[in-house]
Structure formats: structure tokens, C-alpha cells
């Protein structure tokens, strides 16, 4: 018999920490010796300014193992009650096809990918997004659609500002029809206020007489009305305005499209195409518009271009509209969008095809007609003559009585008015549902017979609006209808892409760390997935507990007093935070404070969000070490003292350094009556080590899709909580349409749903619950250690652009990321940072962040999750690439023809009989030995961005295009 270990050790609750952090103790010693630091403690003490180091550990519950954390979360999930929802109001029951659920939504090949800025390694998801854009264009009858918007309400708000930008009207009035979804109206009102837009509401028929620059209609309306918008749109046009239609895509399979009725812009949610309701998100919203407005559209747009071999290839189009280039003049602040839900929606259309979608829609419309007949037979009045999926029913009982009886029967209806309820059907509606609904109006009388109605069923769609135009005619929507083909199509796309399931993605500022499977598992539990965001509060008790705990933990991590999880991306958190600052100043009679100081190094979302909040951006300088230039900041604070609203900094800075004078900077701004916004996207360098709420920040947003493990999804979903100090808590976002913050000074809703992208919050909850305070702090310190290791290993080969200049630390001491300056190499060899980024693909890597925050550089963020072996593989690749550049410098290879300029190399190019290059095929494909065991092959050659923008094409590629490719 052998001695047993102590039980405490065998039950070690912190065992997940060692799974999340890729670096082992023995690795750490090696890494420290390369850096030249005595210990991790000594390294952190040298790098993180002592003035901001946190005195006490975070008060978080002790960590749990994966199994125990899941069990605890299951207990919380159990407090949610999943009733059958007939609420509608933009959220519907849907059946996620199993092949999509498992192979996309639950598949790391899809959910761990990054936004497709590196086109060559993102062809698969961009094809799916082009399918999404084609689907939206076809169904809405408009020429061009992006991918994607954050939710229907923000898409409507973006459409409002688009209409203002492109319209000729001088009016500042925006009209919203009174049957637009209430949460959409609220978000539009929030957006309108700081921009000086007046929102007028009234019956849709009054749109043309409102004197508005734009009008928003809902189709079908929230109460179910299906009206011919054509004449109303004509009236809006005649008055010089633009018409926006918020349309339901499933309804559009049967109804005349907004484009055919003359709409200028269509927006909406694609949730009912296979994404669970998830208490409000994440879902992909859409926007489509006329061709003439394409250069003014907000958000991402995928287009078709050609690669270096003349083959069709996708890439992000018209990026000069976006915040990362255009800053405060951008068409919107959207960065992270909703790519994963957009992929799900597009695949739902691929899976069902046009005939399948129409069958679903017909069934919904038929059930709605039968429901109406039965309800009328039972003596209740149906208020809408025409309907697709929604009825508004007037009843003899009070609304509260009907709703209560429904809840008792396990059904949720919508409260339409004091004397009527709304009932919305969907794909999941069955005959049993109809009988349960009839029972509510029967008062003991016998129920109508479903079969009797079924025979003579007449749809409630108006004849004049029945759709006659075709849609989804492209082969992709018509050829993957067996599960075998569908599975292989999904696999063929993900095989083209490089995600975290294959290699590290060292993107600086993006924090592409582990998204552990145990963190992901709960998001598709029915208790989280199948809840309607406007279900009664008692049914959402589990979500309320999750929200409360997560907010408390994030307060611990940031040092702030209050947090809202409503913003559904970092950009939206920025916007909400700036609105809070604005409301604070206004409440004190200092509404004149409208200047926002932003250092030149800031992320593009910062100035774009400031513009949306009605602030005037003043750019401040950075010094030679990458720090905010305090003298310049001081001068600008003094110059604008009376009008100073706030300063927006990022900490550690986007240059990857801990500025030592940050407390002084905050104090300076406060002296001038301004507030300090600290962009929290770099929290992965801070959690447990320093807290913005303690060192002088007043507001921050977090990116839960960076630091707190929500996967990037190929470009979303994200969660961007807004965190504030005590005196700003009263100005966190409300959601009055959901009864939150009514009668308080809070700012309006910034997202369609009260809890934003609620369904992905369990991921961050699991992460914190399994890591505990010590584990999170160890993660931060290891992220800093790993970045310094990479800097130390590469310091002899590349210029590390900014560092803390710490004596004895090789590489100079950086935060959790480091910038490699490639500009000197361009002079000596003609090789650009982009060439290195593309050459890394041949080595099996996603490039680091290219040309942000400094043009001509690469910013590397390894994160704590990458093992030493992978860090070394990356450093080896970068060193080997430096060797290749040396061969160009020495003239061995010409400047215009070398492995860097021709990268990435495709198999097709490598296998051609004719090999025109001065280097060998082996040098092209296998520059380091490890690639012979494992190799990622780029599916396309270098993609031509300029060609794509000159020849803009943003829909599915006709199959014939592949025949024309040059050899
Ligand atoms: C990622 C990032 C943002 C924007 O966050 P999104 O979720 O993409 O909107 C803002 N600031 C910085 C520094 C970032 O890295």
C-alpha cells in the first residue's frame, strides 16, 4: 500500500489555471533567463509602475474545477424558466439545424477565428459572409448589403445617420412609425439626441407630412400589420426624405420586398434564421441599401477581388469608410460585429434553400391564419386584418388576466395594450401550440378543430403584397441540401481558414487567448439559449444572477463602482461611457463641455465613438517613447479648459507600454473639470495587477471577447461592458422598453436587448469562476512575461519600437504586446510589413496586427495561453524571415522577386511545371523543418485590394468566374 496525498491537494480546485496558462514552471525559468530577469515577480515589479500596483488581491470566489464550475452554472441556469414564447417583438423561436449547431456554433474552427483582415487565411468565412450579403440583398430587393450589424435597433440608428449623410434634406427631424419595435425606437432616440436630431413618431401614414430627412417603418409592424409601404415611401421621397424599412427576412420570402416598394435602406435581425433567442443576443443584424450609397454604409462589407494568379478571392471592401482608417469621420464606430451569428444565418439559408425557407414561412403564415379563425370563432376580436406571423387580439378579459392565464399554461404573450395581447408564431409552432392558445380564449367552450380549418385555409397576406420576384437563385443556396453535402460544405470552408484551433494568432490589441471548451459549453444550454429578452423578469432569474455576479467580479477586476453589460461590442461600450460623461456634465449645468482629447495613438473606435456622442475630437501628441505627451496634453487642457469633457486614453497604451505618469495625467484632466476615459481593451495586462478605477480612470469599457475569453467568432459577437466610478453610476444605460431605469437620469438604451449579447456571458462567468483571483493575476503576469520573452528573442533581429527602456531587461521591457518596426527594412530590402505578414502564412501563422497603431509595424501579443513551444515556433519563423530579408538585402534574391513578395504560396503555384522564381520550391513551402510535419496551405495567392475596390462586387460569385481564371 502506498501513502495517499493530502485530500486538499487531490481536490485542487485551481487545476484549470494550469490548463488556461500555456507556460509551465520550468518554461518560466527558461524564459526569465532569456529576458534577464531574476523572477516573474521582479519582472512585473520592474515593468508595472509601482504607483499603480494594486495593494490587495481581488475579492473573488475561490476557483472551481471545470466540472464543478459547470455544475454551479447549471444550478444558476436552472433558475431561468423556459416558457414557450409568442412574444415576437423581433425575437422568435427557431430550430438550429443540428449540422449547423455542432459544426459552426459549437466548432472552434469557426468560433475562434479573427476578423478577416488577413484575406488569404479567411476565405472560408468570407465566402459564408458573401452568402449572407447575397441572402440579404435577394430578400430585401436592394443592391448591396454588409455583414454585419450589431442588432436591429442599432442598425436602425445607423440607417438614420446614413440617411442624414446621403440625403439632400436639411431637416433634422427623423420620423419613426408608431408600430416600430419599442426597443428600436428607444435606441434611435438615444442616438438622435447628441447629434441634434429630433425623433417624431406617429402612424406610418403620417411619414410623408413629418418634414423628416428620413422615416423608419416596420414591416410587418410590431402588432402584425402588413401594409403596402409603397405609397408611404413615395410620400417620404416627395418630401425630400429617405425611407428605411425594418423588415423580417422570413416574411420577405412571401412578401413584396422593401426594394420593390422603393425603400432606400432596409435593416433587420436575422435571428430567426437559426440563432437561438439567447435572451436577446448575439444575433446578426443586417443593413442593405441602394448601390449609390455604398461608400457611405456603416460596418463591414465583404467583396470579391482577384488574387495574384487571377483567381477570384474575397477580401474586406471599401475599408476607407471604417473607423480604423477614417477615425472620427468614419461612417460608424463598428469594429467587432456579429460574424458568427451571420455565418449561422447564412448557412440556415444554404441548408433550407429558397424552397425550404418558403415552406417554413408558409407554415407560419398558415398557422397564423388558422389561429385567427379559431380565435374569432371563440368570440375574440383580431385587430389586424392582414398578418404574416403576428395577431393582435382584443379580449373581454383584461390584458393582465390573459397574460397570467397564458403564463400558467406555459406560454408568454406580448402585452400590446390595456385591452389586447400580441401573439407571434414561428418555425417551432405546432398544432398543440394553437390549441393551447385557443384555450386561453375558450372559457371552457369546446376548442375549434384544427383539421376543419386546415382544408379551406386562406392566408392573411394582402394579395397586392404577395411576392412574385425570385430570390436565392445562386447555386450555393440550391446544392447543399443533403446533410452529407452540407457537412462537407461547412468543413470545406473552415479548412480554408486559420483559427486558434490550428496556431497562435499573435494579434496585438486583440488578445486572441484560449477560449476553453468548458467555457463554451453552457451557451447552447436551453436554459440560456431559449429565452426571450422580454419574458417576465421572474423567468429570467438565472440570467439576473449571472449578470449580478459577473458585474461584481468585473468591478473587482477594474476597481470601478458600477457596470452595465448591455453594450454588445467594445465600440458600444465606449459610446455608452461617453454618453454617461456627457449626461454627468449636463446634470451639473455644464453641458457646454464638448471637447474630447484623444492621443494620436488611439484605436479608431475612440474618435468614432466620440463623434457619435456629439463630442468634438481634439488629437493630442505622443512622445518618442510612445507615451502620451503630457506637455501637449497639458497645453490642450488649458486651452480647452472650460469646454473639456474628457480625455480618452488606452492603458497600457496601444504602443504596449505602461506609462509611468498615468496618475499625473488623470489628475491633470480632473483639475480642468474633465473626466478620464480609459479604454480597457488592454485589460489583459492589468487584471489583478492594476485597476483603472483605482489609478484615476472614471469610465472604461472592457472587451469580454478579448480579456475575458469570449471567442472572437471571426469578427464577433463581442461584449463591451461599460464600467464607471460612483458618481457616474446614475448614468449607465437604461432599457426603458424593458422597464429598466424608468424615471431615472440614466442614458437611453444603447442595444436592442437589456443585457446585450446575453447568451455569451456564461463564457466570461466560467472563466472567472475557474481562475479565481490568483489565477487571473497569474494569467496577467504570464501574458506580460510571454510578450517580454518574444521581445527578448526578437530584439537582436528586429527593432522593438517602444519599450520601457528598463535596464537589464532584454528587449527593454514591454507590457503584454510588443511592436516590431519593419520600416528600416523597407529601405534596405524593399520588404514591407505586409510582405512579412503574408510570408508568415507560409510558415503557418496568422500575422500580428499590421500597421496599427504605427504604420509599417507589426504588433505581437502572444497572450498567456500559448505554450512556450508555440512562442518559439513563432520566434523561429520571424527570425527565419529576417534571414530571408537579409538575402534580399545582400542581393542574393532580387527586391521584386523573393519568397516575401510572392507570399503566400499556393499548392497550385508550387506544382506548376514552370517555376519562374530565383528561389526553390522548397525554400518557398518548407523554409523551416517543422513545416514538413504540419503545414497550412493558403487557398489563394496574395489578394489584390485595389482591384476589388475598383470593381466592387459583393455577392456570390457566378460559378463561371472560376472558369476564367488565368493559369
Ligand atoms: C478592440 C479594441 C476596441 C474596439 O472593440 P470592439 O469590440 O472591436 O468594438 C477599442 N479599443 C481598443 C484599444 C481595442 O483594441
Amino acid at each position: 500500500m502506498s501513502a495517499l496525498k493530502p485530500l486538499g491537494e487531490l481536490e485542487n480546485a485551481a487545476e484549470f489555471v494550469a490548463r488556461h496558462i500555456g507556460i509551465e514552471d520550468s518554461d518560466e525559468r527558461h524564459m526569465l533567463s532569456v529576458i534577464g530577469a531574476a523572477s516573474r515577480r521582479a519582472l512585473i515589479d520592474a515593468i508595472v509602475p509601482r504607483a499603480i500596483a494594486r495593494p490587495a488581491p481581488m475579492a473573488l470566489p475561490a476557483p472551481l474545477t471545470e466540472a464543478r464550475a459547470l455544475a454551479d452554472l447549471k444550478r444558476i441556469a436552472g433558475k431561468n424558466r423556459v416558457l414557450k414564447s409568442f412574444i415576437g417583438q423581433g425575437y422568435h423561436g427557431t430550430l438550429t439545424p443540428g449540422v449547423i449547431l455542432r459544426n459552426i456554433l459549437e466548432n472552434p474552427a469557426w468560433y475562434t477565428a479573427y476578423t478577416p483582415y488577413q484575406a488569404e487565411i479567411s476565405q472560408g468565412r468570407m465566402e459564408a459572409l458573401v452568402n449572407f450579403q447575397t441572402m440579404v440583398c435577394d430578400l430585401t430587393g436592394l443592391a448591396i448589403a454588409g455583414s454585419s450589424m450589431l442588432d436591429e435597433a442599432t442598425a436602425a440608428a445607423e440607417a438614420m445617420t446614413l440617411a442624414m449623410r446621403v440625403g439632400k434634406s436639411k431637416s433634422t427631424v427623423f420620423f419613426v412609425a408608431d408600430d416600430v419595435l419599442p426597443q428600436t425606437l428607444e435606441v434611435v432616440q438615444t442616438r438622435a439626441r447628441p447629434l441634434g436630431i429630433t425623433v417624431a413618431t406617429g402612424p406610418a401614414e403620417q411619414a410623408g407630412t413629418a418634414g423628416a430627412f428620413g422615416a423608419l417603418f416596420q414591416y410587418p409592424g410590431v402588432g402584425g400589420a402588413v401594409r403596402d409601404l409603397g405609397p408611404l415611401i413615395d410620400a417620404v421621397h416627395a418630401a425630400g426624405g429617405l425611407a428605411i424599412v425594418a423588415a423580417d427576412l422570413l416574411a420577405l420570402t412571401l412578401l413584396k420586398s422593401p426594394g420593390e416598394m422603393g425603400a432606400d435602406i432596409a435593416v433587420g435581425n436575422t435571428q430567426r434564421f437559426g440563432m437561438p433567442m439567447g435572451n436577446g443576443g448575439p444575433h446578426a443584424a443586417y443593413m442593405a441599401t441602394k448601390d449609390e450609397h455604398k461608400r457611405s454604409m456603416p460596418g463591414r462589407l465583404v467583396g470579391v477581388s482577384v488574387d495574384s494568379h487571377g483567381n477570384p478571392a474575397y477580401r474586406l471592401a471599401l475599408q476607407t469608410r471604417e473607423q480604423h482608417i477614417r477615425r472620427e469621420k468614419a461612417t460608424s464606430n463598428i469594429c467587432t460585429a456579429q460574424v458568427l451569428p451571420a455565418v449561422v444565418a447564412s448557412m440556415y439559408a444554404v441548408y433550407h434553400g429558397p424552397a425550404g425557407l418558403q415552406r417554413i414561412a408558409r407554415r407560419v403564415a398558415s398557422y397564423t391564419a388558422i389561429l385567427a379563425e379559431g380565435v374569432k370563432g371563440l368570440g375574440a376580436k383580431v385587430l389586424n386584418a392582414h398578418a404574416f406571423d403576428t395577431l393582435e387580439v382584443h379580449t373581454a378579459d383584461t390584458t393582465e388576466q390573459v397574460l397570467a392565464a397564458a403564463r400558467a399554461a406555459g406560454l408568454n404573450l406580448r402585452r400590446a395594450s390595456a385591452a389586447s395581447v400580441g401573439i407571434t408564431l414561428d418555425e417551432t409552432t405546432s398544432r398543440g401550440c394553437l390549441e393551447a392558445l385557443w384555450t386561453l380564449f375558450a372559457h371552457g367552450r369546446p376548442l375549434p378543430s384544427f383539421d376543419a380549418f386546415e382544408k379551406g385555409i386562406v392566408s392573411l397576406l394582402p394579395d397586392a403584397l404577395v411576392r412574385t420576384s425570385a430570390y436565392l437563385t445562386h447555386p450555393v443556396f440550391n446544392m447543399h441540401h443533403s446533410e452529407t453535402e452540407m457537412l462537407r460544405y461547412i468543413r470545406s470552408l473552415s479548412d480554408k481558414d486559420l483559427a486558434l484551433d490550428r496556431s497562435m494568432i499573435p494579434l496585438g490589441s486583440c488578445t486572441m487567448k484560449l477560449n476553453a471548451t468548458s467555457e463554451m459549453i453552457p451557451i447552447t444550454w436551453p436554459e440560456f439559449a431559449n429565452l426571450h429578452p422580454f419574458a417576465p423578469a421572474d423567468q429570467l432569474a438565472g440570467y439576473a444572477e449571472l449578470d449580478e455576479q459577473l458585474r461584481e467580479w468585473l468591478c473587482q477586476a477594474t476597481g470601478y463602482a458600477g457596470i452595465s453589460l448591455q453594450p454588445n461590442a467594445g465600440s458600444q461600450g465606449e459610446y455608452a461611457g461617453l454618453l454617461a460623461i456627457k449626461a454627468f456634465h449636463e446634470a451639473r449645468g455644464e453641458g457646454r463641455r464638448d471637447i474630447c482629447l484623444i492621443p494620436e495613438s488611439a484605436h479608431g473606435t475612440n474618435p468614432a465613438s466620440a463623434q457619435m456622442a456629439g463630442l468634438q475630437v481634439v488629437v493630442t501628441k505622443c512622445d518618442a517613447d510612445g507615451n502620451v505627451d503630457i506637455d501637449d496634453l497639458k497645453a490642450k487642457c488649458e486651452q480647452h479648459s472650460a469646454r473639456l469633457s474628457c480625455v480618452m486614453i488606452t492603458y497600457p497604451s496601444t504602443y504596449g507600454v505602461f506609462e509611468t505618469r498615468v496618475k499625473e495625467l488623470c489628475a491633470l484632466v480632473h483639475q480642468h473639470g474633465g473626466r478620464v476615459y480609459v479604454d480597457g481593451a488592454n485589460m489583459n495586462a492589468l487584471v489583478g495587477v492594476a485597476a483603472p478605477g483605482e489609478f484615476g480612470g472614471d469610465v472604461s469599457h472592457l472587451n469580454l471577447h478579448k480579456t475575458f475569453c469570449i471567442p472572437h467568432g471571426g469578427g464577433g459577437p463581442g461584449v463591451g461592458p461599460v464600467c464607471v466610478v460612483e458618481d457616474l453610476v446614475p448614468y449607465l444605460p437604461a432599457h426603458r422598453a424593458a422597464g429598466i431605469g424608468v424615471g431615472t437620469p440614466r442614458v437611453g438604451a444603447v442595444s436592442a436587448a437589456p443585457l446585450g449579447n446575453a447568451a455569451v456571458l456564461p463564457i466570461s462567468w466560467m472563466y472567472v469562476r475557474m481562475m479565481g483571483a490568483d489565477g487571473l493575476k497569474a494569467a496577467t503576469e504570464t501574458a506580460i512575461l510571454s510578450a517580454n520573452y518574444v521581445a527578448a528573442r526578437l530584439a537582436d533581429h528586429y527593432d522593438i519600437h517602444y519599450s520601457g527602456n528598463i535596464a537589464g531587461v532584454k528587449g527593454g521591457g514591454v507590457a503584454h504586446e510588443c511592436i516590431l518596426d519593419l520600416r528600416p527594412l523597407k529601405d534596405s530590402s524593399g520588404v514591407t510589413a505586409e510582405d512579412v505578414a503574408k510570408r508568415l502564412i507560409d510558415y503557418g501563422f496568422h500575422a500580428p496586427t499590421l500597421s496599427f497603431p504605427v504604420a509599417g509595424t507589426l504588433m505581437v501579443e502572444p497572450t498567456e495561453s500559448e505554450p512556450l513551444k508555440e512562442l518559439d515556433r513563432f520566434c523561429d519563423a520571424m527570425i527565419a524571415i529576417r534571414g530571408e530579408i537579409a538575402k534580399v538585402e545582400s542581393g542574393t534574391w532580387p527586391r521584386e522577386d523573393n519568397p516575401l513578395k510572392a507570399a503566400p504560396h499556393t499548392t497550385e503555384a508550387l506544382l506548376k511545371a514552370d517555376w519562374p522564381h530565383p528561389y526553390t520550391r522548397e525554400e518557398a513551402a518548407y523554409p523551416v523543418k517543422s513545416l514538413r510535419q504540419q503545414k497550412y496551405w493558403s487557398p489563394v495567392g496574395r489578394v489584390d485590394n485595389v482591384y476589388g475596390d475598383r470593381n466592387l462586387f459583393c455577392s456570390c460569385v457566378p460559378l463561371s468566374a472560376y472558369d476564367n481564371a488565368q493559369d
Side-chain angles (χ1 to χ4, degrees), residues 567-768:
N568 48 17
S571 60
Q572 308 302 299
E574 291 173 13
Y575 171 65
L578 293 171
L579 287 185
I581 291 175
K582 195 178 165 82
F584 166 85
H585 287 315
E586 281 169 3
R588 291 160 41 110
E590 302 202 336
R592 65 176 188 280
R593 292 186 173 271
D594 64 347
I595 299 243
C596 178
L597 302 182
I598 302 183
E600 60 189 359
S601 61
H603 193 272
T605 51
N606 292 185
S609 299
Q611 186 279 332
M612 283 165 61
L615 298 174
Q616 206 171 310
V617 176
V618 173
V619 178
T620 73
K621 293 197 192 102
C622 291
D623 67 17
D625 294 327
N627 296 314
V628 172
D629 181 334
I630 299 261
D631 292 339
D632 186 51
L633 187 85
K634 195 166 178 196
K636 288 190 170 131
C637 279
E638 279 160 14
Q639 185 189 345
H640 300 293
S641 189
R643 280 177 62 192
L644 184 65
S645 172
C646 55
V647 61
M648 237 179 151
I649 57 166
T650 302
Y651 201 81
S653 77
T654 50
Y655 292 150
V657 285
F658 283 100
E659 283 156 298
T660 49
R661 298 170 71 184
V662 65
K663 276 187 136 170
E664 193 186 323
L665 184 158
C666 295
L668 173 68
V669 174
H670 289 152
Q671 271 164 28
H672 288 277
R675 306 305 302 251
V676 178
Y677 190 108
V678 180
D679 182 324
N682 286 347
M683 272 304 286
N684 213 43
L686 293 181
V687 178
V689 171
E694 289 174 358
F695 63 66
D698 298 303
V699 188
S700 290
H701 75 271
L702 300 176
N703 289 60
L704 297 191
H705 47 299
K706 293 177 180 171
T707 312
F708 292 90
C709 295
I710 292 176
H712 210 82
V719 178
V722 53
C723 323
V724 295
V725 290
E726 198 72 53
D727 65 348
L728 292 173
V729 172
Y731 308 107
L732 286 171
H735 200 297
R736 297 186 175 96
I740 299 168
V742 180
T744 69
R746 286 177 166 221
V747 303
V750 296
S751 300
L755 209 47
N757 282 339
V760 290
L761 294 174
I763 301 168
S764 298
W765 187 97
M766 282 290 290
Y767 175 57
V768 178

Side-chain angles (χ1 to χ4, degrees), residues 773-896:
D774 292 346
L776 289 174
K777 187 174 181 201
T780 302
E781 294 187 352
T782 308
I784 295 173
L785 170 74
S786 293
N788 278 282
Y789 175 73
V790 170
R793 274 210 65 195
L794 297 181
D796 293 337
H797 309 275
Y798 294 93
D799 287 350
I800 308 295
H801 192 42
Y802 294 114
S803 76
N805 299 316
I806 297 165
V809 173
K810 192 157 185 217
V814 298
H816 63 314
E817 56 196 3
C818 63
I819 297 179
L820 308 178
D821 192 351
L822 297 161
R823 289 170 297 187
L825 302 177
K826 188 167 177 209
D827 299 332
S828 62
S829 67
V831 171
T832 64
E834 186 180 15
D835 296 331
V836 174
K838 302 307 177 192
R839 182 60 174 152
L840 273 168
I841 298 172
D842 286 334
Y843 283 79
F845 285 101
H846 189 296
T849 299
L850 175 62
S851 289
F852 171 80
V854 184
T857 66
L858 292 175
M859 181 157 63
V860 183
E861 179 180 0
T863 85
E864 71 279 9
S865 296
E866 291 302 335
L868 177 59
K869 222 167 74 196
E870 185 72 351
L871 299 183
D872 279 333
R873 194 172 74 91
F874 175 73
C875 292
D876 291 344
M878 288 302 296
I879 292 166
I881 288 173
R882 184 62 188 88
E884 293 174 349
I885 297 170
K887 285 192 176 179
V888 182
E889 288 170 325
S890 69
T892 310
W893 290 328
R895 282 182 158 231
E896 8 359 283

Side-chain angles (χ1 to χ4, degrees), residues 508-596:
S509 210
C510 305
T511 314
M512 298 295 285
K513 70 206 285 191
L514 170 75
N515 318 117
T517 308
S518 288
E519 292 157 4
M520 295 300 296
I521 281 178
I523 68 163
T524 45
W525 286 347
E527 306 93 306
F528 285 131
N530 295 341
L531 289 165
H532 192 289
F534 303 127
D538 63 309
Q539 295 173 29
L540 299 170
Y543 264 112
E545 186 168 332
L546 181 83
D547 174 40
E548 196 181 310
Q549 290 188 355
L550 193 52
R551 282 189 291 118
E552 191 183 319
W553 300 345
L554 295 176
C555 280
Q556 283 295 321
T558 55
Y560 283 111
I563 289 185
S564 165
L565 300 177
Q566 191 187 111
N568 48 17
S571 60
Q572 308 302 299
E574 291 173 13
Y575 171 65
L578 293 171
L579 287 185
I581 291 175
K582 195 178 165 82
F584 166 85
H585 287 315
E586 281 169 3
R588 291 160 41 110
E590 302 202 336
R592 65 176 188 280
R593 292 186 173 271
D594 64 347
I595 299 243
C596 178

